[in-house]
Amino acid sequence: MIGKTLSVETCDCNVIHEDIVNKVKGQMPPEETLYDLAELFKVFGDSTRIKILWALDEAELCVCDIAFLLNMTQSAISHQLRALKQAKLVKNRREGKVIYYSLDDEHVKRIFEQGLIHIREEK
Amino acid sequence: MIGKTLSVETCDCNVIHEDIVNKVKGQMPPEETLYDLAELFKVFGDSTRIKILWALDEAELCVCDIAFLLNMTQSAISHQLRALKQAKLVKNRREGKVIYYSLDDEHVKRIFEQGLIHIREEK
DNA sequence: CAAACATATGAATGGTTGCTCAAGTAATCA
DNA sequence: TGATTACTTGAGCAACCATTCATATGTTTG
């Protein structure tokens, strides 16, 4: 019997659907992978970061270019670039005082495209 | 001259990079599209919702199946299903007392795949 | 070297979000 | 009809997050 050692409430469905539920359980990727996936999408889940990524897909830019482009504070942009860098979506190089940022992943645009397909379907 | 009517601080880069910045500005999708994209990815940016979507990609399941599968409260799952339904990622049908949920978008898996490619590249 | 410039960083803050708990709806069953 | 089952919903709360503000770092320039 399924559901005997369960710590949360359940209904009879689990018994009825035992086979399906077990099958699904067996095909789920490891917990850690799903967590990492969520962490990645969390980075995409902010319009400021989306805009930064989109801009950097068009050209290499410095922090103040991006700040100007998005009409935002350099500090705010810097904080977000930090998040993008930690997610390994963005890299940077120094040229004197100026730090240029660019995409560190060629298929960021492909993730965007998949998202756009969904949005457009919603009408 | 660029940057004259600007509401936030800028540096000389904007003048130097004027052409590039203008080019990028011209190629950015409308504000609203980028906002919608972020809203969509926000939905993917939670491991509980990722797990639910993954499970539903394997089989149609009722709320308590999912709650059992993820070892979580029916209430918690129900709240998340609501978010997924609002994002038009999930649909449901009633069969007596039981409500079955399934994916409402065939390429959810494709979005996952693009994300996984990135994660795997990180090593 | 001091001043100016480009960016980073830490603390503080207001807003959001995911879960819990308690109560509610909706269908079935006895 | 009243009890039970499956699910939903709203309020409440703790944790998180994006921006701001003040300050710090690193580089060039005079």
Side-chain angles (χ1 to χ4, degrees), chain A residues 17-66:
Chain A
H17 302 149
E18 184 170 353
D19 291 346
I20 303 122
V21 170
N22 278 333
K23 192 199 127 219
V24 171
K25 204 159 204 163
Q27 287 179 348
M28 296 278 283
E31 178 83 22
E32 200 206 336
T33 304
L34 297 171
Y35 181 81
D36 290 345
L37 246 193
E39 286 305 298
L40 176 64
F41 287 126
K42 213 169 273 175
V43 179
F44 286 95
D46 176 83
S47 59
T48 300
R49 288 190 294 263
I50 288 271
K51 286 176 197 167
I52 293 174
L53 288 172
W54 203 290
L56 292 180
D57 188 65
E58 305 289 349
E60 184 188 54
L61 296 167
C62 71
V63 179
C64 85
D65 285 338
I66 301 170

Side-chain angles (χ1 to χ4, degrees), chain A residues 55-116:
Chain A
L56 292 180
D57 188 65
E58 305 289 349
E60 184 188 54
L61 296 167
C62 71
V63 179
C64 85
D65 285 338
I66 301 170
F68 169 73
L69 201 65
L70 308 192
N71 196 43
M72 286 179 70
T73 299
Q74 285 189 8
S75 178
I77 299 299
S78 187
H79 277 296
Q80 297 297 17
L81 284 168
R82 193 169 187 262
L84 291 168
K85 209 185 169 197
Q86 272 183 290
K88 307 217 175 158
L89 292 167
V90 145
K91 60 173 184 265
N92 59 9
R93 71 184 174 86
R94 176 153 231 149
E95 197 172 292
K97 287 178 287 187
V98 185
I99 297 177
Y100 289 95
Y101 280 83
S102 57
L103 286 194
D104 194 20
D105 190 317
E106 330 77 48
H107 61 276
V108 163
K109 204 64 172 274
R110 219 165 296 164
I111 296 179
F112 284 174
E113 278 159 17
Q114 292 302 320
L116 285 172

Side-chain angles (χ1 to χ4, degrees), chain B residues 22-93:
Chain B
N22 279 332
K23 191 199 130 220
V24 171
K25 205 160 204 162
Q27 287 180 349
M28 295 279 282
E31 178 83 22
E32 200 206 335
T33 304
L34 297 171
Y35 181 80
D36 289 346
L37 246 194
E39 285 305 299
L40 176 65
F41 287 125
K42 215 169 272 177
V43 178
F44 286 95
D46 176 83
S47 60
T48 301
R49 287 191 294 264
I50 288 272
K51 285 175 197 167
I52 294 175
L53 288 171
W54 203 290
L56 292 180
D57 188 65
E58 305 289 349
E60 185 189 53
L61 296 167
C62 71
V63 180
C64 85
D65 285 339
I66 302 170
F68 169 74
L69 201 65
L70 308 191
N71 196 43
M72 287 178 70
T73 299
Q74 282 188 12
S75 178
I77 300 298
S78 187
H79 277 294
Q80 299 295 20
L81 284 168
R82 194 168 187 262
L84 291 169
K85 211 187 167 193
Q86 272 183 290
K88 307 217 176 160
L89 291 168
V90 145
K91 61 175 185 263
N92 58 9
R93 72 183 173 87

